[in-house]
Coordinates of all heavy atoms in Angstrom, one line a residue:
M3 N 0.8 -1.2 0.0 CA 0.0 0.0 0.0 C 0.9 1.2 0.0 O 1.9 1.4 0.7 CB -0.9 0.0 1.2 CG -1.7 1.2 1.4 SD -2.7 1.0 2.9 CE -4.0 2.1 2.5
R4 N 0.5 2.2 -0.8 CA 1.3 3.4 -0.9 C 1.0 4.4 0.3 O -0.2 4.4 0.7 CB 0.9 4.1 -2.2 CG 1.9 5.2 -2.6 CD 1.3 5.8 -3.9 NE 0.5 6.9 -3.6 CZ 0.8 8.2 -3.9 NH1 1.9 8.4 -4.6 NH2 0.1 9.2 -3.5
N5 N 2.0 5.0 0.8 CA 1.8 5.9 1.9 C 1.1 7.2 1.4 O 1.7 8.0 0.6 CB 3.2 6.3 2.5 CG 3.1 7.1 3.7 OD1 2.1 7.7 4.1 ND2 4.2 7.0 4.5
P6 N -0.1 7.5 1.8 CA -0.8 8.7 1.3 C -0.2 10.0 1.7 O -0.4 11.0 1.1 CB -2.2 8.5 1.9 CG -2.0 7.7 3.1 CD -0.9 6.7 2.8
L7 N 0.6 10.0 2.7 CA 1.3 11.2 3.1 C 2.4 11.7 2.2 O 2.8 12.8 2.1 CB 1.9 11.1 4.5 CG 0.9 10.7 5.6 CD1 1.6 10.7 7.0 CD2 -0.2 11.8 5.7
M8 N 2.9 10.7 1.3 CA 3.9 11.1 0.3 C 3.3 12.1 -0.7 O 4.0 12.8 -1.3 CB 4.3 9.9 -0.4 CG 5.2 9.0 0.4 SD 6.8 9.7 0.9 CE 7.6 9.8 -0.7
A9 N 2.0 12.2 -0.8 CA 1.4 13.1 -1.8 C 1.3 14.5 -1.3 O 1.0 15.4 -2.0 CB 0.0 12.6 -2.2
L10 N 1.5 14.7 0.0 CA 1.4 16.0 0.6 C 2.6 16.9 0.2 O 3.7 16.4 0.1 CB 1.4 16.0 2.1 CG 0.2 15.3 2.7 CD1 0.3 15.2 4.2 CD2 -1.1 16.0 2.4
P11 N 2.4 18.1 -0.2 CA 3.4 19.0 -0.6 C 4.6 19.1 0.4 O 5.8 19.3 0.1 CB 2.8 20.4 -0.8 CG 1.3 20.1 -0.9 CD 1.1 18.8 -0.2
S12 N 4.2 19.1 1.7 CA 5.3 19.3 2.7 C 6.0 18.0 3.1 O 6.9 18.0 3.9 CB 4.6 19.9 4.0 OG 3.6 19.0 4.4
A13 N 5.7 16.9 2.5 CA 6.3 15.6 2.8 C 7.8 15.6 2.6 O 8.5 15.0 3.3 CB 5.6 14.4 2.0
R14 N 8.2 16.3 1.6 CA 9.7 16.4 1.3 C 10.5 17.2 2.3 O 11.7 17.2 2.3 CB 10.0 16.9 -0.1 CG 9.5 15.9 -1.1 CD 10.2 14.7 -1.1 NE 10.8 14.5 -2.4 CZ 11.6 13.4 -2.7 NH1 11.8 12.5 -1.9 NH2 12.1 13.3 -3.9
L15 N 9.8 18.0 3.2 CA 10.5 18.8 4.2 C 11.3 17.9 5.2 O 12.3 18.3 5.7 CB 9.5 19.7 5.0 CG 8.8 20.8 4.2 CD1 7.8 21.5 5.0 CD2 9.9 21.7 3.7
V16 N 10.8 16.6 5.4 CA 11.6 15.8 6.3 C 12.9 15.4 5.7 O 13.8 15.0 6.5 CB 10.8 14.5 6.6 CG1 9.5 14.8 7.3 CG2 10.5 13.6 5.4
D17 N 13.2 15.6 4.4 CA 14.5 15.3 3.9 C 15.5 16.3 4.4 O 16.7 15.9 4.5 CB 14.4 15.5 2.3 CG 13.7 14.3 1.7 OD1 13.4 13.3 2.3 OD2 13.4 14.5 0.5
G18 N 15.1 17.4 4.9 CA 16.0 18.5 5.4 C 16.4 18.2 6.9 O 17.2 18.9 7.4
L19 N 15.7 17.3 7.5 CA 16.1 17.0 8.9 C 17.4 16.2 9.0 O 17.7 15.4 8.1 CB 14.9 16.2 9.5 CG 13.6 16.8 9.7 CD1 12.6 15.8 10.3 CD2 13.6 18.0 10.6
G20 N 18.1 16.5 10.0 CA 19.3 15.7 10.3 C 19.0 14.3 10.7 O 17.9 14.0 11.1
D21 N 20.0 13.4 10.6 CA 19.8 12.0 10.9 C 19.3 11.8 12.4 O 18.4 11.0 12.6 CB 21.0 11.2 10.7 CG 21.4 11.1 9.3 OD1 20.5 11.3 8.4 OD2 22.6 10.8 9.0
D22 N 19.9 12.5 13.3 CA 19.5 12.4 14.7 C 18.1 12.9 15.0 O 17.3 12.2 15.7 CB 20.5 13.2 15.6 CG 21.8 12.6 15.7 OD1 22.0 11.4 15.3 OD2 22.8 13.3 16.1
A23 N 17.7 14.0 14.4 CA 16.3 14.5 14.5 C 15.3 13.6 13.9 O 14.3 13.3 14.5 CB 16.2 15.9 13.9
R24 N 15.6 13.0 12.7 CA 14.7 12.1 12.1 C 14.6 10.9 12.8 O 13.4 10.4 13.0 CB 15.3 11.8 10.7 CG 14.3 11.3 9.7 CD 14.7 11.3 8.3 NE 16.1 11.1 8.0 CZ 16.9 12.0 7.4 NH1 16.4 13.1 7.0 NH2 18.2 11.7 7.2
E25 N 15.6 10.3 13.4 CA 15.5 9.1 14.2 C 14.8 9.3 15.5 O 14.0 8.4 15.9 CB 16.9 8.5 14.4 CG 16.9 7.1 15.1 CD 16.1 6.1 14.4 OE1 16.1 6.0 13.1 OE2 15.4 5.3 15.0
A26 N 15.0 10.4 16.1 CA 14.3 10.7 17.4 C 12.8 10.9 17.1 O 12.0 10.3 17.9 CB 14.8 12.0 18.0
L27 N 12.4 11.6 16.1 CA 11.0 11.8 15.8 C 10.4 10.4 15.4 O 9.3 10.1 15.8 CB 10.9 12.8 14.6 CG 9.5 13.2 14.2 CD1 8.7 13.7 15.4 CD2 9.6 14.2 13.1
R28 N 11.1 9.6 14.6 CA 10.6 8.3 14.2 C 10.4 7.4 15.4 O 9.3 6.7 15.5 CB 11.5 7.7 13.2 CG 11.0 6.4 12.6 CD 11.9 5.9 11.4 NE 11.3 4.8 10.9 CZ 11.5 3.5 11.3 NH1 12.4 3.3 12.3 NH2 10.9 2.5 10.7
S29 N 11.3 7.5 16.4 CA 11.2 6.7 17.6 C 9.9 7.1 18.4 O 9.1 6.2 18.8 CB 12.4 6.8 18.4 OG 12.3 6.1 19.6
I30 N 9.7 8.4 18.5 CA 8.5 8.9 19.2 C 7.2 8.4 18.5 O 6.3 7.9 19.2 CB 8.6 10.4 19.4 CG1 9.7 10.8 20.3 CG2 7.2 10.9 19.8 CD1 9.9 12.3 20.2
L31 N 7.2 8.5 17.2 CA 6.0 8.1 16.4 C 5.8 6.6 16.5 O 4.6 6.2 16.6 CB 6.2 8.6 15.0 CG 6.1 10.0 14.8 CD1 6.6 10.5 13.4 CD2 4.6 10.5 14.9
L32 N 6.8 5.8 16.6 CA 6.6 4.4 16.7 C 6.0 4.1 18.1 O 5.2 3.2 18.2 CB 7.9 3.6 16.4 CG 8.3 3.7 15.0 CD1 9.7 3.0 14.9 CD2 7.3 3.0 14.0
D33 N 6.5 4.8 19.1 CA 5.9 4.6 20.5 C 4.4 5.1 20.5 O 3.6 4.4 21.1 CB 6.7 5.4 21.5 CG 8.0 4.8 21.9 OD1 8.3 3.7 21.5 OD2 8.8 5.5 22.5
I34 N 4.1 6.2 19.9 CA 2.7 6.6 19.8 C 1.9 5.6 19.1 O 0.8 5.3 19.5 CB 2.6 8.0 19.1 CG1 3.3 9.1 19.9 CG2 1.2 8.3 18.7 CD1 3.4 10.4 19.2
R35 N 2.4 5.0 18.0 CA 1.7 4.0 17.3 C 1.4 2.8 18.1 O 0.2 2.4 18.2 CB 2.5 3.6 16.0 CG 1.7 2.5 15.2 CD 2.5 2.0 14.0 NE 3.6 1.3 14.5 CZ 4.4 0.6 13.7 NH1 4.2 0.6 12.4 NH2 5.4 -0.1 14.2
Q36 N 2.3 2.3 18.9 CA 2.1 1.2 19.7 C 1.1 1.5 20.9 O 0.2 0.7 21.2 CB 3.4 0.7 20.3 CG 3.3 -0.6 21.1 CD 2.6 -1.7 20.3 OE1 3.0 -2.0 19.2 NE2 1.6 -2.4 20.9
D37 N 1.3 2.6 21.5 CA 0.4 3.0 22.5 C -1.1 3.2 22.0 O -2.0 2.7 22.6 CB 0.8 4.4 23.2 CG 0.0 4.8 24.3 OD1 -0.1 4.1 25.3 OD2 -0.7 5.9 24.1
A38 N -1.2 3.8 20.8 CA -2.5 4.0 20.3 C -3.2 2.6 19.9 O -4.4 2.4 20.1 CB -2.5 4.9 19.0
R39 N -2.4 1.7 19.5 CA -2.9 0.3 19.2 C -3.4 -0.4 20.4 O -4.5 -0.9 20.4 CB -1.8 -0.5 18.5 CG -1.6 -0.3 17.1 CD -0.5 -1.3 16.6 NE -0.3 -1.1 15.2 CZ 0.6 -1.8 14.5 NH1 1.3 -2.7 15.1 NH2 0.7 -1.6 13.2
T40 N -2.7 -0.2 21.5 CA -3.0 -0.8 22.8 C -4.3 -0.2 23.3 O -5.3 -0.9 23.7 CB -1.9 -0.6 23.8 OG1 -0.7 -1.2 23.3 CG2 -2.3 -1.2 25.1
R41 N -4.4 1.1 23.2 CA -5.6 1.8 23.6 C -6.9 1.5 22.7 O -8.0 1.3 23.2 CB -5.4 3.4 23.5 CG -4.5 3.9 24.6 CD -4.2 5.3 24.3 NE -3.2 5.8 25.2 CZ -3.4 6.6 26.3 NH1 -4.7 6.9 26.6 NH2 -2.5 7.0 27.1
A42 N -6.6 1.3 21.4 CA -7.7 0.9 20.5 C -8.3 -0.5 20.9 O -9.5 -0.7 20.9 CB -7.2 0.9 19.1
E43 N -7.4 -1.4 21.1 CA -7.8 -2.7 21.6 C -8.6 -2.7 22.9 O -9.6 -3.4 23.0 CB -6.6 -3.7 21.7 CG -5.9 -4.0 20.3 CD -4.6 -4.7 20.5 OE1 -4.3 -5.2 21.6 OE2 -3.9 -4.7 19.5
A44 N -8.1 -1.9 23.8 CA -8.8 -1.8 25.1 C -10.2 -1.2 24.9 O -11.2 -1.7 25.5 CB -8.0 -1.0 26.1
C45 N -10.3 -0.2 24.1 CA -11.6 0.4 23.9 C -12.5 -0.5 23.1 O -13.7 -0.6 23.5 CB -11.4 1.7 23.0 SG -10.7 3.1 23.9
W46 N -12.0 -1.3 22.2 CA -12.8 -2.2 21.5 C -13.4 -3.3 22.4 O -14.5 -3.7 22.4 CB -12.0 -2.9 20.3 CG -12.9 -3.7 19.5 CD1 -12.9 -5.1 19.4 CD2 -13.9 -3.3 18.5 NE1 -13.8 -5.5 18.5 CE2 -14.4 -4.4 17.9 CE3 -14.3 -2.0 18.1 CZ2 -15.4 -4.4 17.0 CZ3 -15.3 -2.0 17.2 CH2 -15.8 -3.1 16.6
R47 N -12.5 -3.8 23.3 CA -13.0 -4.8 24.3 C -14.0 -4.2 25.3 O -14.8 -5.0 25.8 CB -11.8 -5.4 25.1 CG -10.9 -6.4 24.3 CD -9.9 -7.1 25.2 NE -9.0 -6.2 25.9 CZ -7.9 -5.7 25.4 NH1 -7.5 -6.2 24.2 NH2 -7.1 -5.0 26.0
A48 N -13.9 -2.9 25.6 CA -14.9 -2.3 26.4 C -16.1 -1.8 25.7 O -16.9 -1.1 26.3 CB -14.2 -1.1 27.1
H49 N -16.2 -2.2 24.5 CA -17.4 -1.8 23.6 C -17.6 -0.3 23.4 O -18.7 0.2 23.4 CB -18.7 -2.4 24.2 CG -18.7 -3.9 24.4 ND1 -18.7 -4.8 23.3 CD2 -18.5 -4.7 25.5 CE1 -18.6 -6.0 23.8 NE2 -18.5 -6.0 25.1
K50 N -16.4 0.3 23.3 CA -16.4 1.8 23.0 C -15.9 2.0 21.6 O -14.7 2.4 21.4 CB -15.5 2.5 24.0 CG -16.1 2.4 25.5 CD -15.2 3.1 26.4 CE -15.7 3.0 27.8 NZ -15.0 3.7 28.8
G51 N -16.7 1.6 20.6 CA -16.4 1.6 19.2 C -15.8 2.9 18.7 O -14.8 3.0 18.1
P52 N -16.5 4.1 19.0 CA -15.9 5.4 18.5 C -14.5 5.7 19.0 O -13.7 6.2 18.2 CB -17.0 6.4 19.0 CG -18.2 5.6 19.1 CD -17.8 4.3 19.6
M53 N -14.3 5.4 20.3 CA -12.9 5.6 20.8 C -11.9 4.6 20.2 O -10.8 5.0 20.0 CB -12.9 5.6 22.3 CG -13.5 6.8 23.0 SD -12.8 8.4 22.4 CE -11.2 8.3 22.9
A54 N -12.3 3.4 20.0 CA -11.4 2.4 19.4 C -11.1 2.9 18.0 O -9.9 2.8 17.6 CB -12.1 1.1 19.3
L55 N -12.0 3.4 17.2 CA -11.8 3.9 15.9 C -10.8 5.1 15.9 O -9.8 5.2 15.2 CB -13.0 4.4 15.2 CG -12.9 5.0 13.8 CD1 -12.3 4.1 12.8 CD2 -14.2 5.5 13.3
Y56 N -11.0 6.0 16.9 CA -10.1 7.2 17.0 C -8.7 6.7 17.3 O -7.8 7.2 16.6 CB -10.6 8.0 18.2 CG -9.6 9.1 18.6 CD1 -9.5 10.3 17.9 CD2 -8.7 8.9 19.7 CE1 -8.6 11.2 18.2 CE2 -7.8 9.8 20.0 CZ -7.7 11.0 19.3 OH -6.8 11.9 19.7
W57 N -8.5 5.8 18.2 CA -7.1 5.4 18.6 C -6.5 4.6 17.4 O -5.3 4.7 17.2 CB -7.1 4.6 19.9 CG -7.3 5.5 21.0 CD1 -8.3 5.5 21.9 CD2 -6.4 6.5 21.5 NE1 -8.1 6.5 22.8 CE2 -6.9 7.1 22.6 CE3 -5.2 7.0 21.0 CZ2 -6.3 8.2 23.3 CZ3 -4.5 8.0 21.7 CH2 -5.1 8.6 22.8
K58 N -7.3 3.9 16.6 CA -6.8 3.2 15.5 C -6.3 4.1 14.4 O -5.2 3.9 13.8 CB -7.9 2.2 14.9 CG -7.5 1.4 13.8 CD -6.4 0.4 14.2 CE -6.0 -0.5 13.0 NZ -4.9 -1.3 13.3
V59 N -7.1 5.2 14.2 CA -6.6 6.2 13.2 C -5.3 6.8 13.7 O -4.4 7.1 12.9 CB -7.8 7.2 13.0 CG1 -7.3 8.4 12.2 CG2 -9.0 6.6 12.3
V60 N -5.3 7.2 15.0 CA -4.0 7.8 15.5 C -2.8 6.8 15.2 O -1.8 7.2 14.8 CB -4.1 8.0 17.0 CG1 -2.8 8.4 17.6 CG2 -5.1 9.2 17.3
S61 N -3.1 5.5 15.5 CA -2.0 4.5 15.2 C -1.6 4.5 13.8 O -0.4 4.4 13.5 CB -2.6 3.2 15.7 OG -1.7 2.1 15.2
V62 N -2.6 4.5 12.9 CA -2.2 4.4 11.4 C -1.5 5.6 11.0 O -0.4 5.5 10.3 CB -3.5 4.2 10.6 CG1 -3.3 4.4 9.1 CG2 -4.1 2.8 10.9
Y63 N -1.9 6.8 11.3 CA -1.2 8.0 10.9 C 0.2 8.1 11.5 O 1.1 8.5 10.8 CB -2.0 9.3 11.2 CG -2.9 9.6 10.0 CD1 -4.2 9.2 10.0 CD2 -2.4 10.3 8.9 CE1 -5.0 9.5 8.9 CE2 -3.2 10.6 7.8 CZ -4.5 10.2 7.8 OH -5.3 10.4 6.7
A64 N 0.3 7.7 12.8 CA 1.7 7.8 13.4 C 2.6 6.8 12.6 O 3.8 7.1 12.3 CB 1.6 7.3 14.9
G65 N 2.1 5.6 12.2 CA 2.9 4.7 11.4 C 3.2 5.2 10.0 O 4.3 5.1 9.6
H66 N 2.3 5.9 9.4 CA 2.6 6.5 8.1 C 3.6 7.6 8.2 O 4.6 7.6 7.3 CB 1.3 7.2 7.5 CG 0.3 6.2 6.9 ND1 0.7 5.2 6.1 CD2 -1.0 6.2 6.9 CE1 -0.3 4.5 5.6 NE2 -1.4 5.1 6.1
I67 N 3.6 8.4 9.2 CA 4.6 9.5 9.4 C 6.0 8.8 9.7 O 7.0 9.3 9.1 CB 4.2 10.5 10.4 CG1 2.9 11.2 10.0 CG2 5.3 11.5 10.7 CD1 2.3 12.0 11.1
A68 N 6.0 7.8 10.5 CA 7.2 7.1 10.8 C 7.8 6.5 9.5 O 9.1 6.6 9.3 CB 7.0 6.0 11.9
R69 N 7.0 5.9 8.7 CA 7.6 5.4 7.4 C 8.0 6.5 6.5 O 9.0 6.3 5.8 CB 6.5 4.5 6.7 CG 6.4 3.1 7.3 CD 5.5 2.2 6.5 NE 4.1 2.6 6.5 CZ 3.3 2.4 7.5 NH1 3.7 1.8 8.6 NH2 2.0 2.7 7.3
L70 N 7.4 7.6 6.5 CA 7.8 8.8 5.7 C 9.2 9.2 6.2 O 10.1 9.5 5.3 CB 6.8 9.9 5.9 CG 7.1 11.2 5.1 CD1 6.7 11.0 3.7 CD2 6.2 12.3 5.7
L71 N 9.4 9.2 7.5 CA 10.8 9.5 8.0 C 11.8 8.5 7.6 O 13.0 8.8 7.3 CB 10.7 9.7 9.5 CG 10.0 10.9 10.0 CD1 9.6 10.8 11.4 CD2 10.8 12.2 9.7
R72 N 11.4 7.2 7.6 CA 12.3 6.1 7.2 C 12.7 6.3 5.7 O 13.8 6.1 5.3 CB 11.8 4.8 7.5 CG 12.8 3.6 7.2 CD 12.1 2.3 7.4 NE 11.1 2.1 6.4 CZ 10.0 1.4 6.6 NH1 9.8 0.8 7.7 NH2 9.1 1.2 5.6
Q73 N 11.7 6.6 4.9 CA 11.9 6.8 3.4 C 12.8 7.9 3.2 O 13.7 7.9 2.3 CB 10.6 6.9 2.7 CG 9.7 5.7 2.7 CD 8.3 5.9 2.3 OE1 7.8 7.0 2.3 NE2 7.6 4.8 2.1
A74 N 12.7 9.0 4.0 CA 13.6 10.1 3.9 C 15.0 9.7 4.2 O 16.0 10.2 3.5 CB 13.1 11.3 4.8
E75 N 15.2 8.9 5.2 CA 16.5 8.4 5.5 C 17.1 7.6 4.4 O 18.3 7.8 4.1 CB 16.4 7.5 6.8 CG 17.8 7.0 7.3 CD 17.6 6.1 8.5 OE1 16.6 6.3 9.2 OE2 18.5 5.2 8.7
V76 N 16.3 6.8 3.8 CA 16.8 6.0 2.6 C 17.2 6.9 1.5 O 18.3 6.7 0.9 CB 15.8 4.9 2.2 CG1 16.1 4.3 0.9 CG2 15.6 3.9 3.2
R77 N 16.4 7.9 1.2 CA 16.7 8.8 0.1 C 18.0 9.6 0.5 O 18.8 9.8 -0.4 CB 15.6 9.8 -0.1 CG 14.4 9.3 -0.8 CD 13.4 10.3 -1.3 NE 12.9 11.1 -0.2 CZ 11.8 10.8 0.5 NH1 11.2 9.7 0.3 NH2 11.4 11.6 1.5
A78 N 18.2 10.0 1.7 CA 19.4 10.7 2.1 C 20.6 9.8 1.9 O 21.7 10.3 1.4 CB 19.3 11.1 3.6
R79 N 20.6 8.5 2.3 CA 21.7 7.6 2.1 C 22.0 7.4 0.6 O 23.2 7.4 0.3 CB 21.4 6.3 2.8 CG 21.9 6.2 4.2 CD 21.8 4.8 4.7 NE 20.6 4.7 5.5 CZ 19.7 3.7 5.3 NH1 19.9 2.7 4.4 NH2 18.6 3.7 6.0
Q80 N 21.0 7.3 -0.2 CA 21.2 7.1 -1.6 C 21.9 8.4 -2.2 O 22.7 8.2 -3.1 CB 19.9 6.9 -2.3 CG 19.3 5.5 -2.1 CD 17.9 5.3 -2.6 OE1 17.2 6.2 -3.0 NE2 17.5 4.0 -2.7
A81 N 21.4 9.5 -1.8 CA 22.1 10.8 -2.3 C 23.5 10.9 -1.9 O 24.3 11.3 -2.7 CB 21.3 12.0 -1.7
T82 N 23.8 10.4 -0.7 CA 25.2 10.4 -0.2 C 26.1 9.5 -1.1 O 27.2 9.8 -1.5 CB 25.3 10.0 1.2 OG1 24.5 11.0 2.0 CG2 26.7 10.1 1.8
R83 N 25.5 8.3 -1.3 CA 26.2 7.3 -2.1 C 26.5 7.8 -3.6 O 27.5 7.6 -4.1 CB 25.5 6.0 -2.2 CG 25.6 5.2 -0.9 CD 24.8 3.9 -1.1 NE 24.8 3.2 0.2 CZ 23.7 2.5 0.6 NH1 22.6 2.4 -0.1 NH2 23.8 1.9 1.8
E84 N 25.5 8.5 -4.1 CA 25.6 9.0 -5.5 C 26.6 10.1 -5.5 O 27.4 10.2 -6.5 CB 24.3 9.6 -5.9 CG 23.2 8.5 -6.3 CD 21.9 9.1 -6.6 OE1 21.7 10.3 -6.6 OE2 20.9 8.3 -6.8
K85 N 26.8 10.9 -4.5 CA 27.8 11.9 -4.4 C 29.2 11.3 -4.4 O 30.1 11.8 -5.0 CB 27.6 12.9 -3.2 CG 26.5 13.8 -3.4 CD 26.3 14.7 -2.1 CE 25.1 15.6 -2.2 NZ 24.9 16.3 -1.0
R86 N 29.3 10.2 -3.6 CA 30.6 9.5 -3.5 C 30.9 8.7 -4.7 O 32.0 8.2 -4.9 CB 30.6 8.7 -2.2 CG 30.8 9.5 -1.0 CD 31.1 8.7 0.2 NE 29.8 8.3 0.7 CZ 29.6 7.3 1.6 NH1 30.5 6.5 1.9 NH2 28.4 7.0 2.0
G87 N 29.8 8.3 -5.5 CA 30.0 7.5 -6.6 C 30.1 6.0 -6.3 O 30.6 5.2 -7.0
T88 N 29.6 5.6 -5.1 CA 29.7 4.2 -4.7 C 28.2 3.7 -4.6 O 27.3 4.2 -4.0 CB 30.3 4.1 -3.3 OG1 29.6 4.9 -2.3 CG2 31.8 4.5 -3.4
W89 N 28.0 2.5 -5.1 CA 26.8 1.8 -5.0 C 27.2 0.4 -4.6 O 27.1 -0.5 -4.4 CB 26.0 1.7 -6.3 CG 25.2 2.9 -6.5 CD1 25.5 4.0 -7.2 CD2 23.9 3.2 -6.0 NE1 24.5 4.9 -7.2 CE2 23.5 4.4 -6.4 CE3 23.1 2.5 -5.1 CZ2 22.3 5.0 -6.0 CZ3 21.9 3.1 -4.7 CH2 21.5 4.3 -5.2

């Protein structure tokens, strides 16, 4: 499945982040994703469908943004290799 956030005009701004900032942000987003998944499951078991849906959406978007950051890291590594001429 294609990441829908890649279509946003500002998606390429993450390319300008440094490696440390990108990794820290990605780590936070992955934690948010896991926490939101846990909350969604708890809400679903408690028969609170609207809140389960809310937390599931939070989880999905956090995951999409985390993947966007990972893709930016891959693009940055490829650009560095191209500059050095090594593949």
